[in-house]
Amino acid sequence: MRPYLALTRAMLRSALRYRITFLMGMFGMFFQLIALFAVWRVLLDEREIGGFGWAEMRPYLLIGFTCGMIVSSFTDWRMAYRIVEGTVSLDLVKPVDYQFARFAEIVGGIAAEVGVAVVLWAGVLVFTGPIALPPPELLALFALSMLLVVPLKFLFSYVAGLGCFWTHHYNGIRWTQQAVVAVLSGMMIPLALLPSWLATTAAWLPFAGVASTPGLIFIGRVDAAEAARLVAVQAFWIVVLWLGARLAFRGAVKQLTVHGG
Amino acid sequence: MALVEARGLTKVFRRPDKAPGLKGALRQLVVRRFTEKVAVDHVDLAIDAGEAVAYVGPNGAGKSTTVKLLSGILVPTAGEVRVGGVEPHRDRIANAHRIGVLFGQRTQLWWDLPVADSLDVLRDMYGIDRATYTRRLKRFDEVLELGEILPSLGRRLSLGQRMRADLAAALIHGPEVVYLDEPTIGLDIAVKDRVRGFLRSLRDEGTTIMLTSHDLRDIEDVCRRLVIIDGGRIIFDGALTALKDEFARERILHVETAADVPLAAVQASLAGATVTAGDSPRRFSVRFNRFAMTAGQVVAALAGHAELVDFHVDEPSIEDVVRRVYSGELMAR
């Protein structure tokens, strides 16, 4: 573990060097969250949509937003940039597993993001009032589910990053990835409100695991048994994507072309 | 068995074929065409433990690609590589412990961390114990004057400082084999000398070195064996001195005499050499084959004509030889 912990620490220290960028990003996110809250507040004014009232929607949106925020800092850009620009050469001669090393770096970034999330939650609670906690068994499953968001989101970024071995550009991949995740994860709109064919599809895809799952569990839309099933689906996708990414990596390094030096 | 062994090593890159202009760009959207480029073409190479090998060739000859194949960064299209019995691109972690890699144009330092922290990360990655780590750092400090740059952030280093820090980063785990790709690129003379001195001491301690460089002084200073690659193929592989012996037989003696000497008389006394007049009647140059006669014999013959005031010998330059090999003027091997 020592090599990977070293990477985690290095990434955390790097992240802390960008305090100003970080704070500005946080400021920007507050505005996005305010906008999201405002829209839904109006829509749900004294009525429900698809079974969601404002009381459920507020924590759901906050959780979705938190999930959107973590594992989103520069670690995925860093990996993609290094592949496009060729510095990945040096990553490939380190005595660590490439995939696990990138995960370790992401974890370093998360430590900083969690700090921001805490401030965000505090702000929301202060300005919009307290949030009711679910019963203990759901709370435990919610915590587990939030924990699983980390490897799952990492794997989306990682697989997208591996795409750079083929495309040599990251922007297109990243925009596509973000757009798909934003809609199919239920981050901004609960999946139940999507057209039924899309909602059913989305429920089975891995994307629901990075926002909808913890959100639904927290607001008690599902019972404990269903919650446990959703968490199992998250875990299933982590295993599948982790192994799939390993296969993809083998193909990806064959594509590697590094020009000059 | 050699420590580094490559047999029939080949790497083919596929490049998208883009016609220029908008039309070309649009066509590329519909039909993707590729051109295959053979960067390394059936290279056979064996490097023994403790050898220092210079790997040279013109730009685009396949030097860096070979280094990336030998270090396991790239996966060969065909052929095989083994370093200490391990296939570098298959067993990456085992391979990484044995090798050190420096690419002069890239850095492996963490951009936003002080150099000391970057080295600490590497220490933990390679699992180096504290005593060994301290000893190596001390040594790097002696040769590379590392101490003064340890507190600086990676991105604030000058090129010379960065290269010194990167050398330390590439060698901190005491690798058996070191691949150095342009380790002196862009450095001033003082830093170059220091880096070369360091590489020599590394070689003397038994580290296997493969060095690619456009600066032939690096090569002469550090390596005894020279491999020349062009168009992805090895066109020369042998001792540096052998190349010189074979292709640089000529030496030139420049003399200044105390009195005027007729050129014809000098030429008559030096059969087999070519005498040419210099910028004054008392100066001339004698071009001779260093295997047919010695500089001493030439001087003795000249002393018979007049007192010698001054003389010096131009040695064959490895640069001239390599340049002639590149240009196809000399066919090595």
Side-chain angles (χ1 to χ4, degrees):
Chain A
M1 274 318 272
R2 186 179 163 202
Y4 301 100
L5 286 175
L7 282 172
T8 301
R9 276 199 306 273
M11 231 41 230
L12 175 58
R13 269 178 293 177
S14 299
L16 293 178
R17 294 224 171 247
Y18 290 97
R19 280 175 301 247
I20 302 292
T21 316
F22 221 79
L23 288 174
M24 283 168 68
M26 194 176 94
F27 191 65
M29 276 192 281
F30 264 120
F31 270 89
Q32 286 181 35
L33 188 63
I34 289 169
L36 200 60
F37 266 36
V39 169
W40 279 105
R41 185 84 187 85
V42 172
L43 286 175
L44 297 175
D45 191 26
E46 296 184 7
R47 62 174 170 155
E48 288 189 351
I49 297 179
F52 284 88
W54 179 237
E56 289 92 40
M57 206 54 178
R58 195 166 55 103
Y60 182 89
L61 288 175
L62 187 55
I63 289 164
F65 200 78
T66 311
C67 292
M69 200 180 69
I70 57 173
V71 200
S72 68
S73 52
F74 47 68
T75 26
D76 61 333
W77 283 105
R78 185 172 186 274
M79 172 182 159
Y81 173 77
R82 290 174 74 85
I83 294 168
V84 170
E85 188 262 352
T87 326
V88 66
S89 296
L90 292 163
D91 298 330
L92 294 174
V93 289
K94 292 288 184 297
V96 288
D97 176 71
Y98 185 78
Q99 186 168 328
F100 202 68
R102 303 290 81 77
F103 181 62
E105 288 177 344
I106 288 264
V107 171
I110 288 177
E113 287 160 348
V114 166
V116 177
V118 168
V119 177
L120 194 73
W121 278 71
V124 170
L125 293 181
V126 166
F127 288 109
T128 67
I131 287 172
L133 288 180
E137 67 275 16
L138 280 186
L139 194 62
L141 283 165
F142 163 74
L144 182 58
S145 164
M146 281 303 280
L147 219 54
L148 292 182
V149 168
V150 174
L152 197 52
K153 268 199 88 175
F154 158 72
L155 284 163
F156 295 164
S157 298
Y158 180 75
V159 171
L162 285 184
C164 294
F165 277 104
W166 284 274
T167 62
H168 308 290
H169 298 284
Y170 187 50
N171 281 340
I173 299 180
R174 160 116 177 169
W175 289 333
T176 311
Q177 196 249 93
Q178 280 192 322
V180 169
V181 170
V183 175
L184 295 183
S185 69
M187 199 175 284
M188 289 185 285
I189 304 167
L191 294 179
L193 305 187
L194 295 176
S196 69
W197 61 272
L198 191 57
T200 318
T201 316
W204 284 100
L205 289 176
F207 306 109
V210 298
S212 174
T213 299
L216 294 181
I217 297 175
F218 188 89
I219 63 172
R221 281 282 284 206
V222 290
D223 60 19
E226 177 64 4
R229 193 191 65 83
L230 289 177
V231 171
V233 172
Q234 272 182 306
F236 165 79
W237 276 117
I238 290 168
V239 173
V240 169
L241 288 172
W242 186 274
L243 298 177
R246 286 206 167 279
L247 277 181
F249 176 76
R250 266 191 240 164
V253 280
K254 287 194 191 136
Q255 293 294 320
L256 180 61
T257 313
V258 180
H259 294 295
Chain B
M1 206 181 87
L3 182 59
V4 179
E5 236 180 344
R7 243 173 298 151
L9 194 59
T10 301
K11 182 71 186 178
V12 180
F13 290 124
R14 230 164 59 120
R15 272 199 305 222
D17 229 358
K18 288 182 186 163
L22 181 63
K23 208 172 142 195
L26 289 174
R27 188 185 302 155
Q28 179 67 15
L29 280 180
V30 187
V31 195
R32 284 172 76 77
R33 280 172 221 263
F34 293 92
T35 326
E36 297 209 324
K37 181 178 184 307
V38 184
V40 172
D41 193 359
H42 294 91
V43 160
D44 295 320
L45 198 61
I47 302 173
D48 286 321
E51 261 194 298
V53 178
Y55 197 52
V56 304
N59 287 328
K63 295 187 299 283
S64 289
T65 306
T66 314
V67 170
K68 291 192 179 89
L69 287 165
L70 295 179
S71 54
I73 293 165
L74 296 176
V75 181
T77 311
E80 56 176 303
V81 198
R82 279 183 196 280
V83 177
V86 167
E87 271 192 286
H89 59 277
R90 282 190 212 281
D91 206 343
R92 289 181 184 278
I93 296 183
N95 177 59
H97 280 283
R98 311 182 78 136
I99 68 164
V101 184
L102 174 90
F103 295 111
Q105 320 208 31
R106 302 185 190 284
T107 180
Q108 61 164 312
L109 303 169
W110 276 259
W111 217 225
D112 303 304
L113 299 184
V115 174
D117 285 9
S118 281
L119 293 174
D120 282 351
V121 176
L122 292 170
R123 175 196 66 202
D124 290 343
M125 267 190 165
Y126 288 99
I128 307 165
D129 66 74
R130 197 159 285 276
T132 312
Y133 180 67
T134 317
R135 200 183 64 237
R136 285 192 187 134
L137 271 192
K138 188 160 168 280
R139 158 127 196 266
F140 293 150
D141 184 33
E142 279 162 16
V143 198
L144 299 168
E145 289 183 16
L146 206 60
E148 60 182 36
I149 52 178
L150 284 178
S152 315
L153 289 189
R155 62 185 139 91
R156 301 234 172 93
L157 299 177
S158 72
L159 186 59
Q161 291 174 325
R162 206 218 78 203
M163 200 70 87
R164 283 187 281 153
D166 256 311
L167 263 173
L171 299 168
I172 193 76
H173 55 295
E176 283 171 73
V177 189
V178 181
Y179 304 98
L180 302 158
D181 194 356
E182 302 278 356
T184 60
I185 197 164
L187 300 184
D188 68 40
I189 293 171
V191 183
K192 267 189 189 179
D193 277 348
R194 199 178 296 162
V195 168
R196 286 173 188 147
F198 182 63
L199 296 181
R200 274 199 302 273
S201 67
L202 213 63
R203 174 201 67 196
D204 294 341
E205 286 161 17
T207 305
T208 309
I209 296 176
M210 184 164 183
L211 172 74
T212 80
S213 182
H214 283 295
D215 188 332
L216 296 156
R217 277 282 314 281
D218 290 351
I219 290 158
E220 283 189 288
D221 273 13
V222 180
C223 305
R224 296 195 184 98
R225 178 174 158 197
L226 178 72
V227 177
I228 305 180
I229 183 172
D230 196 8
R233 287 169 184 271
I234 289 182
I235 56 170
F236 176 87
D237 183 354
L240 203 57
T241 47
L243 187 73
K244 278 192 180 178
D245 288 350
E246 204 171 338
F247 298 122
R249 294 157 187 271
E250 276 186 354
R251 292 169 114 184
I252 301 171
L253 182 83
H254 303 277
V255 247
E256 189 180 348
T257 50
D260 292 5
V261 181
L263 209 63
V266 177
Q267 179 66 73
S269 67
L270 284 165
T274 317
V275 184
T276 43
D279 49 14
S280 87
R282 293 180 184 184
R283 287 168 193 247
F284 43 90
S285 306
V286 182
R287 192 182 287 267
F288 64 99
N289 180 337
R290 65 198 181 103
F291 295 108
M293 61 181 79
T294 65
Q297 288 170 326
V298 177
V299 170
L302 291 169
H305 296 280
E307 190 191 329
L308 301 187
V309 180
D310 193 14
F311 64 88
H312 72 269
V313 181
D314 273 351
E315 282 294 328
S317 124
I318 182 69
E319 302 202 15
D320 286 340
V321 176
V322 171
R323 198 175 298 130
R324 287 165 74 188
V325 173
Y326 288 173
S327 68
E329 192 184 323
L330 297 169
M331 269 316 288
R333 202 150 89 163

